[in-house]
Protein backbone atom coordinates (compact mmCIF):
# COMPACT_ATOMS: atom_id res chain seq x y z
CA UNK A 1 0.00 0.00 0.00
CA UNK A 2 1.33 3.45 -0.93
CA UNK A 3 2.32 5.34 2.24
CA UNK A 4 2.66 8.98 3.21
CA UNK A 5 5.50 9.80 5.60
CA UNK A 6 7.55 12.79 6.72
CA UNK A 7 10.89 13.53 5.07
CA UNK A 8 13.48 16.31 4.80
CA UNK A 9 13.44 17.92 1.36
CA UNK A 10 15.76 20.45 -0.30
CA UNK A 11 13.63 22.17 -2.94
CA UNK A 12 16.21 24.53 -4.43
CA UNK A 13 19.93 25.30 -4.42
CA UNK A 14 21.08 26.83 -1.16
CA UNK A 15 17.59 27.06 0.29
CA UNK A 16 16.73 25.93 3.79
CA UNK A 17 15.49 22.36 4.00
CA UNK A 18 12.01 21.58 5.28
CA UNK A 19 10.09 18.57 6.57
CA UNK A 20 7.42 17.67 4.02
CA UNK A 21 5.02 14.83 3.32
CA UNK A 22 6.42 12.34 0.84
CA UNK A 23 4.77 9.43 -0.91
CA UNK A 24 6.51 6.04 -0.71
CA UNK A 25 5.28 3.43 -3.23
CA UNK A 26 5.04 -0.28 -2.61
CA UNK A 27 8.32 -2.02 -3.39
CA UNK A 28 8.65 -3.33 -6.92
CA UNK A 29 10.92 -6.13 -8.19
CA UNK A 30 14.27 -5.99 -6.42
CA UNK A 31 13.17 -3.20 -4.07
CA UNK A 32 12.56 -2.82 -0.34
CA UNK A 33 10.81 -0.35 1.93
CA UNK A 34 12.77 0.36 5.10
CA UNK A 35 11.44 1.98 8.27
CA UNK A 36 14.32 4.29 9.12
CA UNK A 37 15.39 4.31 12.78
CA UNK A 38 18.41 6.63 12.59
CA UNK A 39 20.27 8.66 9.95
CA UNK A 40 23.50 10.65 10.33
CA UNK A 41 23.86 14.21 9.04
CA UNK A 42 26.72 13.98 6.53
CA UNK A 43 28.58 16.68 4.57
CA UNK A 44 27.32 15.00 1.40
CA UNK A 45 23.75 15.99 2.28
CA UNK A 46 24.89 19.58 2.61
CA UNK A 47 26.64 19.31 -0.78
CA UNK A 48 23.33 18.19 -2.30
CA UNK A 49 21.52 21.13 -0.74
CA UNK A 50 24.15 23.55 -2.05
CA UNK A 51 23.97 22.12 -5.58
CA UNK A 52 27.51 20.77 -5.37
CA UNK A 53 26.57 17.29 -6.59
CA UNK A 54 23.82 17.97 -9.12
CA UNK A 55 20.77 20.06 -9.88
CA UNK A 56 18.07 17.38 -9.79
CA UNK A 57 16.02 19.26 -7.21
CA UNK A 58 13.99 18.59 -5.16
CA UNK A 59 16.22 16.22 -3.18
CA UNK A 60 15.10 13.89 -0.41
CA UNK A 61 18.17 14.13 1.81
CA UNK A 62 19.79 11.60 4.14
CA UNK A 63 21.76 8.46 3.35
CA UNK A 64 23.80 7.36 6.40
CA UNK A 65 21.12 5.19 7.94
CA UNK A 66 19.95 2.06 9.70
CA UNK A 67 16.45 0.67 10.08
CA UNK A 68 14.15 -2.30 9.74
CA UNK A 69 12.92 -3.79 6.48
CA UNK A 70 9.17 -3.35 6.32
CA UNK A 71 8.35 -4.88 2.92
CA UNK A 72 10.16 -6.35 -0.07
CA UNK A 73 9.23 -6.66 -3.72
CA UNK A 74 9.22 -9.71 -6.02
CA UNK A 75 12.51 -11.54 -6.43
CA UNK A 76 14.15 -10.20 -3.27
CA UNK A 77 16.13 -12.86 -1.43
CA UNK A 78 18.84 -10.81 0.36
CA UNK A 79 16.57 -9.54 3.13
CA UNK A 80 13.06 -10.04 4.49
CA UNK A 81 10.63 -8.01 6.58
CA UNK A 82 11.87 -7.61 10.14
CA UNK A 83 15.58 -7.61 9.28
CA UNK A 84 17.69 -4.89 10.89
CA UNK A 85 19.82 -3.36 8.15
CA UNK A 86 22.40 -0.68 7.45
CA UNK A 87 21.74 1.11 4.16
CA UNK A 88 24.54 1.51 1.65
CA UNK A 89 24.78 3.55 -1.53
CA UNK A 90 26.81 1.05 -3.56
CA UNK A 91 24.58 -1.94 -4.24
CA UNK A 92 26.84 -4.11 -6.38
CA UNK A 93 25.52 -5.51 -9.64
CA UNK A 94 27.46 -8.80 -9.76
CA UNK A 95 27.79 -8.52 -13.54
CA UNK A 96 30.15 -5.66 -14.46
CA UNK A 97 33.82 -6.17 -15.29
CA UNK A 98 34.91 -5.39 -11.70
CA UNK A 99 32.42 -7.84 -10.18
CA UNK A 100 33.34 -10.56 -12.70
CA UNK A 101 37.01 -10.16 -11.79
CA UNK A 102 36.25 -10.70 -8.11
CA UNK A 103 36.54 -7.03 -7.12
CA UNK A 104 32.94 -6.10 -6.34
CA UNK A 105 34.00 -3.21 -4.09
CA UNK A 106 34.89 -1.42 -7.36
CA UNK A 107 31.50 -2.24 -8.96
CA UNK A 108 31.00 0.08 -11.94
CA UNK A 109 27.23 -0.41 -12.23
CA UNK A 110 25.79 0.07 -8.76
CA UNK A 111 22.03 0.53 -8.71
CA UNK A 112 19.15 2.11 -6.83
CA UNK A 113 15.38 1.63 -6.65
CA UNK A 114 13.69 2.04 -10.05
CA UNK A 115 10.55 3.69 -8.70
CA UNK A 116 10.52 7.27 -7.47
CA UNK A 117 9.27 8.65 -4.20
CA UNK A 118 7.29 11.86 -4.70
CA UNK A 119 5.83 14.90 -3.04
CA UNK A 120 2.04 14.97 -2.55
CA UNK A 121 1.57 16.79 -5.87
CA UNK A 122 3.40 14.04 -7.74
CA UNK A 123 6.74 15.86 -8.09
CA UNK A 124 9.46 13.21 -8.26
CA UNK A 125 12.16 13.35 -5.60
CA UNK A 126 15.85 12.62 -6.11
CA UNK A 127 17.00 10.60 -3.09
CA UNK A 128 20.48 11.52 -1.83
CA UNK A 129 22.92 8.83 -2.98
CA UNK A 130 19.91 6.77 -4.04
CA UNK A 131 18.70 6.41 -0.45
CA UNK A 132 16.80 9.44 0.94
CA UNK A 133 16.79 8.44 4.60
CA UNK A 134 15.89 11.68 6.37
CA UNK A 135 12.44 10.14 6.30
CA UNK A 136 10.30 7.87 8.39
CA UNK A 137 10.39 5.30 5.58
CA UNK A 138 12.32 5.07 2.34
CA UNK A 139 12.35 2.98 -0.84
CA UNK A 140 15.69 1.47 -1.88
CA UNK A 141 17.10 -1.33 -3.98
CA UNK A 142 17.22 -4.47 -1.86
CA UNK A 143 20.96 -4.68 -2.52
CA UNK A 144 21.34 -1.43 -0.61
CA UNK A 145 20.22 -3.21 2.57
CA UNK A 146 22.90 -5.05 4.54
CA UNK A 147 21.63 -7.22 7.37
CA UNK A 148 23.53 -6.82 10.66
CA UNK A 149 23.11 -7.85 14.30
CA UNK A 150 19.98 -6.10 15.69
CA UNK A 151 21.67 -5.70 19.07
CA UNK A 152 23.55 -2.70 17.65
CA UNK A 153 22.36 0.84 18.32
CA UNK A 154 20.75 2.20 15.13
CA UNK A 155 22.36 5.62 15.69
CA UNK A 156 25.82 4.05 15.74
CA UNK A 157 25.25 1.34 13.12
CA UNK A 158 23.90 3.76 10.54
CA UNK A 159 27.20 5.66 10.48
CA UNK A 160 28.74 2.74 8.59
CA UNK A 161 26.47 3.78 5.73
CA UNK A 162 28.86 6.54 4.70
CA UNK A 163 31.39 8.64 6.62
CA UNK A 164 32.68 6.24 9.26
CA UNK A 165 32.98 3.42 6.73
CA UNK A 166 34.82 5.75 4.34
CA UNK A 167 37.42 6.53 7.00
CA UNK A 168 37.76 3.02 8.37
CA UNK A 169 38.04 1.62 4.86
CA UNK A 170 40.61 4.22 3.78
CA UNK A 171 42.93 2.76 6.43
CA UNK A 172 41.92 -0.90 6.43
CA UNK A 173 41.09 -1.52 2.77
CA UNK A 174 42.63 1.13 0.54
CA UNK A 175 45.71 1.97 2.62
CA UNK A 176 46.30 -1.62 3.73
CA UNK A 177 47.71 -0.35 7.02
CA UNK A 178 49.65 -3.12 8.70
CA UNK A 179 51.00 -3.95 12.14
CA UNK A 180 53.77 -1.59 13.15
CA UNK A 181 53.13 0.94 10.37
CA UNK A 182 53.29 4.69 10.82
CA UNK A 183 50.16 6.51 9.65
CA UNK A 184 49.35 10.19 9.30
CA UNK A 185 45.77 11.42 8.88
CA UNK A 186 45.29 14.94 7.52
CA UNK A 187 41.85 16.31 8.40
CA UNK A 188 40.16 15.01 11.54
CA UNK A 189 36.45 15.41 10.99
CA UNK A 190 34.21 12.36 11.05
CA UNK A 191 35.95 10.62 8.14
CA UNK A 192 39.48 11.45 9.28
CA UNK A 193 38.84 10.35 12.84
CA UNK A 194 37.36 7.11 11.52
CA UNK A 195 40.64 6.63 9.63
CA UNK A 196 42.46 7.10 12.93
CA UNK A 197 40.31 4.35 14.43
CA UNK A 198 40.91 2.14 11.39
CA UNK A 199 44.68 2.58 11.69
CA UNK A 200 44.49 1.65 15.35
CA UNK A 201 42.42 -1.46 14.55
CA UNK A 202 45.03 -2.47 11.96
CA UNK A 203 47.81 -2.31 14.55
CA UNK A 204 49.63 0.85 13.45
CA UNK A 205 52.43 1.73 15.85
CA UNK A 206 52.32 5.49 15.29
CA UNK A 207 49.22 7.45 14.31
CA UNK A 208 49.69 11.17 13.66
CA UNK A 209 46.55 13.31 13.46
CA UNK A 210 46.77 16.65 11.63
CA UNK A 211 44.16 19.40 11.71
CA UNK A 212 43.73 23.14 12.30
CA UNK A 213 41.18 22.65 15.10
CA UNK A 214 42.40 21.63 18.55
CA UNK A 215 38.95 20.22 19.39
CA UNK A 216 39.20 17.74 16.53
CA UNK A 217 42.76 16.86 17.47
CA UNK A 218 41.66 16.15 21.03
CA UNK A 219 39.01 13.79 19.68
CA UNK A 220 41.59 12.10 17.44
CA UNK A 221 43.84 11.55 20.44
CA UNK A 222 40.95 10.11 22.40
CA UNK A 223 40.17 7.72 19.53
CA UNK A 224 43.72 6.43 19.19
CA UNK A 225 46.09 9.00 17.67
CA UNK A 226 49.50 8.75 19.31
CA UNK A 227 50.53 12.26 18.21
CA UNK A 228 48.72 15.40 17.05
CA UNK A 229 49.84 18.30 14.88
CA UNK A 230 48.02 21.62 14.60
CA UNK A 231 48.91 22.74 11.08
CA UNK A 232 48.01 26.36 11.87
CA UNK A 233 51.06 26.58 14.10
CA UNK A 234 53.33 23.76 12.85
CA UNK A 235 54.38 22.88 9.31
CA UNK A 236 52.73 19.46 8.91
CA UNK A 237 55.21 17.80 6.53
CA UNK A 238 58.14 18.67 8.76
CA UNK A 239 56.23 17.61 11.87
CA UNK A 240 55.26 14.24 10.39
CA UNK A 241 58.83 13.57 9.27
CA UNK A 242 60.19 14.53 12.67
CA UNK A 243 57.79 12.08 14.30
CA UNK A 244 58.85 9.27 11.95
CA UNK A 245 62.60 9.40 12.26
CA UNK A 246 62.96 11.92 9.44
CA UNK A 247 61.48 9.57 6.84
CA UNK A 248 57.75 10.26 6.61
CA UNK A 249 54.78 8.00 7.31
CA UNK A 250 54.19 4.64 5.67
CA UNK A 251 50.60 5.63 4.90
CA UNK A 252 49.19 9.17 4.72
CA UNK A 253 45.42 9.53 4.53
CA UNK A 254 44.14 12.83 3.17
CA UNK A 255 40.61 13.41 4.49
CA UNK A 256 40.15 17.05 3.45
CA UNK A 257 39.98 16.94 -0.34
CA UNK A 258 42.05 20.03 -1.20
CA UNK A 259 45.14 20.39 -3.43
CA UNK A 260 47.16 21.98 -0.61
CA UNK A 261 46.54 19.17 1.84
CA UNK A 262 47.03 16.51 -0.82
CA UNK A 263 50.44 17.98 -1.58
CA UNK A 264 51.24 17.84 2.11
CA UNK A 265 50.22 14.18 2.16
CA UNK A 266 52.38 13.47 -0.89
CA UNK A 267 55.53 14.87 0.70
CA UNK A 268 54.77 13.58 4.20
CA UNK A 269 54.96 9.92 3.18
CA UNK A 270 58.07 7.79 3.29
CA UNK A 271 59.74 6.61 0.09
CA UNK A 272 57.59 3.84 -1.41
CA UNK A 273 54.81 4.90 0.97
CA UNK A 274 51.13 5.23 0.18
CA UNK A 275 48.88 8.27 -0.11
CA UNK A 276 45.14 7.69 0.20
CA UNK A 277 42.73 10.41 -0.91
CA UNK A 278 39.38 10.01 0.84
CA UNK A 279 38.48 13.70 1.17
CA UNK A 280 36.15 14.75 -1.65
CA UNK A 281 37.41 17.62 -3.88
CA UNK A 282 35.21 19.98 -5.86
CA UNK A 283 35.15 19.89 -9.69
CA UNK A 284 37.27 23.01 -10.22
CA UNK A 285 40.22 21.90 -8.08
CA UNK A 286 43.52 21.14 -9.82
CA UNK A 287 46.69 19.46 -8.57
CA UNK A 288 50.23 20.18 -9.78
CA UNK A 289 53.16 17.98 -8.76
CA UNK A 290 56.62 17.61 -10.32
CA UNK A 291 56.43 14.40 -12.32
CA UNK A 292 59.98 13.55 -11.31
CA UNK A 293 58.86 13.57 -7.66
CA UNK A 294 55.98 11.24 -8.49
CA UNK A 295 58.46 8.89 -10.17
CA UNK A 296 61.27 9.28 -7.69
CA UNK A 297 59.29 8.76 -4.50
CA UNK A 298 57.69 5.52 -5.73
CA UNK A 299 54.92 3.95 -3.73
CA UNK A 300 51.24 4.35 -4.47
CA UNK A 301 48.79 7.21 -4.88
CA UNK A 302 45.28 5.90 -4.30
CA UNK A 303 41.74 7.22 -4.15
CA UNK A 304 39.34 5.55 -1.74
CA UNK A 305 35.74 5.08 -2.95
CA UNK A 306 33.53 4.57 0.11
CA UNK A 307 36.56 3.07 1.85
CA UNK A 308 36.70 0.45 -0.92
CA UNK A 309 34.20 -1.44 1.21
CA UNK A 310 32.05 -4.40 0.33
CA UNK A 311 29.01 -3.89 2.58
CA UNK A 312 28.05 -7.56 2.74
CA UNK A 313 31.55 -8.36 3.99
CA UNK A 314 32.47 -5.30 6.04
CA UNK A 315 29.29 -4.12 7.77
CA UNK A 316 28.53 -7.33 9.73
CA UNK A 317 32.21 -7.66 10.71
CA UNK A 318 32.44 -4.08 11.96
CA UNK A 319 29.16 -4.36 13.87
CA UNK A 320 30.53 -7.49 15.54
CA UNK A 321 33.63 -5.52 16.60
CA UNK A 322 31.34 -2.77 17.90
CA UNK A 323 29.30 -5.22 19.98
CA UNK A 324 32.53 -6.74 21.34
CA UNK A 325 33.64 -3.30 22.53
CA UNK A 326 36.57 -3.17 20.08
CA UNK A 327 35.16 -0.45 17.80
CA UNK A 328 33.62 2.57 19.51
CA UNK A 329 31.04 3.75 16.98
CA UNK A 330 29.15 5.51 19.77
CA UNK A 331 32.04 7.98 20.04
CA UNK A 332 31.08 9.41 16.67
CA UNK A 333 27.52 10.26 17.76
CA UNK A 334 27.85 13.78 19.16
CA UNK A 335 24.10 14.40 19.46
CA UNK A 336 20.76 12.90 18.51
CA UNK A 337 18.17 15.17 16.91
CA UNK A 338 14.76 15.15 15.24
CA UNK A 339 13.88 15.56 11.55
CA UNK A 340 13.03 19.21 12.16
CA UNK A 341 16.58 19.91 13.40
CA UNK A 342 18.51 19.02 10.22
CA UNK A 343 19.00 22.62 9.06
CA UNK A 344 20.52 23.57 12.42
CA UNK A 345 22.67 20.43 12.31
CA UNK A 346 24.17 21.59 9.01
CA UNK A 347 25.31 24.80 10.74
CA UNK A 348 26.89 22.90 13.64
CA UNK A 349 28.66 20.59 11.21
CA UNK A 350 30.08 23.52 9.23
CA UNK A 351 31.33 25.12 12.44
CA UNK A 352 33.13 21.95 13.48
CA UNK A 353 31.03 21.53 16.61
CA UNK A 354 30.10 17.88 15.99
CA UNK A 355 31.47 14.65 14.61
CA UNK A 356 27.95 13.54 13.77
CA UNK A 357 24.46 14.75 14.51
CA UNK A 358 22.14 11.77 14.11
CA UNK A 359 18.43 11.98 13.35
CA UNK A 360 16.61 9.40 15.46
CA UNK A 361 13.13 8.30 14.38
CA UNK A 362 12.41 5.35 16.69
Amino acid sequence: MVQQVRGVVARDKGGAVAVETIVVPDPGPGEAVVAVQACGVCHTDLHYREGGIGDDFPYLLGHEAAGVVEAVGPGVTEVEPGDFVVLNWRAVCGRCRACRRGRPWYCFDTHNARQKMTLLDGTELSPALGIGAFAEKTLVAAGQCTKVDPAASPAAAGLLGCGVMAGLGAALNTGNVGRGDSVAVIGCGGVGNAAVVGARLAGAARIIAVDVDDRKLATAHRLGATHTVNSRTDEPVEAIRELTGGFGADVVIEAVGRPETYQQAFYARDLAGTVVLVGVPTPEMKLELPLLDVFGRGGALKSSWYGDCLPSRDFPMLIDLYLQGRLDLDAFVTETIELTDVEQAFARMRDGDVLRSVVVLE
Side-chain angles (χ1 to χ4, degrees), residues 268-342:
R269 66 182 174 130
D270 197 358
L271 292 174
T274 299
V275 174
V276 176
L277 175 65
V278 67
V280 181
T282 56
E284 73 280 1
M285 290 179 179
K286 306 291 183 184
L287 177 69
E288 184 173 330
L289 288 170
L291 192 57
L292 183 60
D293 285 356
V294 175
F295 172 77
R297 297 186 68 81
L301 307 178
K302 296 182 174 182
S303 297
S304 185
W305 294 353
Y306 200 3
D308 288 340
C309 79
L310 183 60
S312 60
R313 173 196 67 196
D314 294 341
F315 288 6
M317 177 268 292
L318 292 169
I319 289 297
D320 284 346
L321 291 178
Y322 165 67
L323 292 173
Q324 293 165 20
R326 297 165 62 192
L327 172 58
D328 188 4
L329 294 176
D330 294 317
F332 290 87
V333 182
T334 307
E335 62 177 0
T336 57
I337 62 173
E338 298 182 358
L339 280 175
T340 51
D341 299 326
V342 168

Side-chain angles (χ1 to χ4, degrees), residues 88-110:
N88 75 81
W89 47 269
R90 287 184 59 79
V92 300
C93 71
R95 301 179 301 275
C96 72
R97 60 194 185 280
C99 289
R100 290 198 307 269
R101 294 169 68 188
R103 302 170 184 170
W105 50 91
Y106 292 139
C107 179
F108 300 133
D109 192 23
T110 57

Side-chain angles (χ1 to χ4, degrees), residues 29-197:
E31 296 175 344
V33 170
V34 175
V36 178
Q37 294 179 316
C39 184
V41 180
C42 176
H43 274 91
T44 303
D45 294 304
L46 183 58
H47 289 328
Y48 271 109
R49 196 200 75 171
E50 298 299 311
I53 294 178
D55 59 358
D56 296 326
F57 292 92
Y59 286 109
L60 174 60
L61 300 181
H63 60 280
E64 200 176 65
V68 174
V69 175
E70 181 180 86
V72 298
V76 172
T77 58
E78 303 99 318
V79 291
E80 61 184 17
D83 284 346
F84 177 62
V85 296
V86 175
L87 299 182
N88 75 81
W89 47 269
R90 287 184 59 79
V92 300
C93 71
R95 301 179 301 275
C96 72
R97 60 194 185 280
C99 289
R100 290 198 307 269
R101 294 169 68 188
R103 302 170 184 170
W105 50 91
Y106 292 139
C107 179
F108 300 133
D109 192 23
T110 57
H111 56 281
N112 304 315
R114 292 183 177 274
Q115 298 183 88
K116 289 287 190 179
M117 292 177 279
T118 69
L119 296 173
L120 281 174
D121 64 4
T123 301
E124 292 187 345
L125 292 164
S126 300
L129 290 177
I131 293 177
F134 285 153
E136 293 164 325
K137 296 179 184 179
T138 191
L139 176 76
V140 295
Q144 293 179 277
C145 301
T146 304
K147 185 177 178 179
V148 298
D149 192 323
S153 158
L159 300 185
L160 293 178
C162 189
V164 170
M165 184 68 251
L168 288 170
L172 296 170
N173 298 331
T174 317
N176 294 313
V177 174
R179 293 187 299 275
D181 280 353
S182 58
V183 178
V185 178
I186 299 177
C188 295
V191 173
N193 272 315
V196 167
V197 172

